[in-house]
Amino acid sequence: MRIARIEARPLSIPLREPFVISSGRVDTTRGALVSARIVDTGTGELHRGLGEAAALPAVTGVDQGDLLRAIGRANGALAGQDVEGHSDLRALLDGVFDDPVSRAGVEAALLDAWARQERLPVHALLGSERNGGTPFQVTTDVTLPIADPAHVGELASGWQQAGFSSLKVKVGRDLDDDARTLEHIARRCPTVEVRLDANGALAARDAMTLISIVRSLHLRLGCFEQPCAADDLEGMAHVTLLAGAPVVADESVQTIDDLFAVVHKKAATAVNLKIMKHGGPVEAARIGRAARRLGLKIMVGAMVETRLGLAASLHLARSLGGVDLVDLDTSLLLRWDPFAGGYQQRGAELTLLEGNGVGVHEAAMA
Ligand SMILES: [Mg+2]
C-alpha cells in the first residue's frame, strides 16, 4: 500500500457522568478521530480506514491538542510512503511518533485501511487463527467511577439489572469511602464479582485492607488491578503473593521490557493490554503473546473510548484467540456514540461482527 493522507479531527463526546479515578477526572472524551487514505499499488484502488487516538491526560500524559498536532505533523512524513508489510509499518511509525497514543490511532487507521484493501478483518492482520466461523463473543465488565458511595451502589444495581455480573470498582482515593462503596455494592448486588482498580494509588498494606473488606462482605474478588504505583513492583509483588485473586499490571506495563520486569519481580499474575498504552494494536498483540507464553492472564482494556476504539480492542482480543478478562465498556459511559458497526452488544455480551477492516463506520446523525 501507499499512504496517501492521514488526517485527524477532535473526538469530544460528553460522558453521562464524570469518570473519576484515583489519578484524575474526565467529563468529555479527549480523543482524535484518525482517517487514513491508502492506495493499493497493485490496482490503484483507494481505501479509507478509521482509528481512534484516545487521550486520558491523567493516565496518558498527553491531551487532545497534543494528538491533533502530532498527527497533523505526521502526515507530512507519512504521505507518499510505500509500506510492504508489518516491519515497514513499524519502522515508519517509530520514526514519526514520540507518544504512543498518536501512534496507536494512526496505526489503527492504517491497519483498518490495509485490511479493507486485503478484504480481511483487522484481527487477521494481527495474526489471528481461523476458528471455523464461530462468532467471537466476550463478556465485559462495566466500570464504576469514584463517587458518593450510595450513588455508586445505585449505579451497581442498575448495571446488574442491565445484565452485568462483573463490576470494575475504581478505588484508591480514600480508603473509608472505598469501604463504604463496597458495603453499598454488597448490600445491593451480593452475587456480583468485583474487580478493584486503584490506578496505582495504594501502598501494599492498604490494598490488603481493601481485599479483607471485600472478603468480609462476602463479595467475589475477580481481580485487583494496579493496586500500587507503576514503579512499586515490590508492593505489587506483596499484593500478588497474598491477594488470592489475579493481580493485574496496567500502568506498570507500557512496553515489553516492563512486562519482563513485572514477571521477573512476580509483581502481577495478569496484564491489562491497551492499544493506546502500547502504541498500537500490533505491539499490544506482541506483548499479549509474550505475556501468555510467560504464564500471565490477559485483560484487554481501553482508555475512555468510543465504539471505534473498543472494536479495535476486540480485534486484538480475537487475534490472541480470546483473553481472560475483558474491560471494554466505555462506549456505555458516553452520552452518545458517533460510530456504528464493529460488534453487537447485548447487556455485557459483545459479539465481533466479521467483515473487512475493523468494521466500524460513522453513524448517521439523528
Ligand atoms: Mg486500569
Side-chain angles (χ1 to χ4, degrees):
M1 64 169 162
R2 177 171 301 141
I3 300 172
R5 189 170 178 75
I6 306 286
E7 288 168 302
R9 59 182 157 87
L11 196 50
S12 307
I13 315 294
L15 272 63
R16 291 179 197 273
E17 62 176 85
F19 186 76
V20 180
I21 62 176
S22 66
S23 50
R25 162 192 172 122
V26 198
D27 296 273
T28 300
T29 65
R30 310 175 76 87
L33 171 59
V34 183
S35 159
R37 286 186 173 74
I38 63 163
V39 182
D40 183 335
T41 41
T43 65
E45 273 180 336
L46 270 165
H47 298 277
R48 178 170 175 253
L50 297 176
E52 177 166 359
L56 191 58
V59 178
T60 60
V62 290
D63 206 348
Q64 189 175 51
D66 304 311
L67 302 180
L68 296 170
R69 277 189 296 278
I71 298 166
R73 271 198 309 271
N75 178 59
L78 295 174
Q81 297 284 344
D82 285 337
V83 178
E84 294 296 341
H86 277 299
S87 53
D88 269 10
L89 184 59
R90 167 186 284 264
L92 192 58
L93 297 181
D94 282 352
V96 169
F97 291 105
D98 300 322
D99 84 90
V101 179
S102 306
R103 190 193 187 288
V106 170
E107 186 183 271
L110 284 168
L111 288 177
D112 185 29
W114 182 14
R116 285 172 197 269
Q117 172 187 303
E118 302 300 323
R119 295 183 169 75
L120 288 171
V122 162
H123 64 71
L125 287 187
L126 296 174
S128 63
E129 298 189 2
R130 292 178 188 279
N131 70 342
T134 316
F136 180 69
Q137 196 173 67
V138 298
T139 304
T140 183
D141 58 32
V142 66
T143 305
L144 302 169
I146 295 175
D148 170 67
H151 176 62
V152 178
E154 275 168 40
L155 289 174
S157 147
W159 287 119
Q160 192 184 35
Q161 281 162 33
F164 291 82
S165 56
S166 213
L167 303 176
K168 178 151 154 178
V169 185
K170 292 289 190 179
V171 295
R173 209 168 242 197
D174 181 300
L175 227 44
D176 293 332
D177 282 350
D178 292 341
R180 277 200 295 278
T181 295
L182 289 165
E183 281 164 21
H184 280 277
I185 292 171
R187 200 174 308 140
R188 304 190 68 143
C189 314
T191 61
V192 89
E193 174 197 80
V194 297
R195 300 175 174 177
L196 301 177
D197 186 359
N199 290 98
L202 296 173
R205 66 176 176 284
D206 293 336
M208 292 313 302
T209 302
L210 277 186
I211 292 174
S212 314
I213 292 168
V214 169
R215 302 250 182 260
S216 69
L217 292 166
H218 304 289
L219 282 167
R220 270 187 301 143
L221 180 63
C223 64
F224 200 151
E225 202 179 319
Q226 198 68 46
C228 310
D231 59 0
D232 181 11
L233 297 189
E234 253 170 64
M236 292 282 288
H238 183 82
V239 182
T240 298
L241 188 64
L242 299 171
V247 170
V248 185
D250 182 3
E251 284 86 343
S252 286
V253 177
Q254 314 265 332
T255 67
I256 201 155
D257 287 340
D258 295 340
L259 175 76
F260 296 145
V262 159
V263 170
H264 178 68
K265 296 265 170 111
K266 297 188 168 57
T269 46
V271 61
N272 190 350
L273 302 179
K274 289 176 177 165
I275 289 174
M276 295 304 126
K277 203 172 63 165
H278 306 307
V282 175
E283 186 63 7
R286 186 168 85 103
I287 293 175
R289 286 195 188 92
R292 182 161 285 154
R293 275 198 304 276
L294 293 163
L296 267 65
K297 288 188 188 302
I298 297 174
M299 174 185 265
V300 168
M303 301 299 169
V304 180
E305 296 175 36
T306 69
R307 176 175 284 260
L308 176 59
L310 300 185
S313 301
L314 269 180
H315 280 264
L316 167 64
R318 166 74 175 81
S319 80
L320 296 169
V323 296
D324 305 286
L325 300 153
V326 176
D327 177 30
L328 297 175
D329 60 326
T330 52
S331 170
L332 302 168
L333 310 180
L334 306 178
R335 265 198 234 156
W336 67 84
D337 195 314
F339 300 101
Y343 58 87
Q344 246 172 4
Q345 180 149 21
R346 194 167 291 159
E349 308 293 325
L350 307 178
T351 307
L352 189 70
L353 298 170
E354 293 286 341
N356 297 335
V358 83
V360 173
H361 52 269
E362 288 174 77
M365 280 298 168

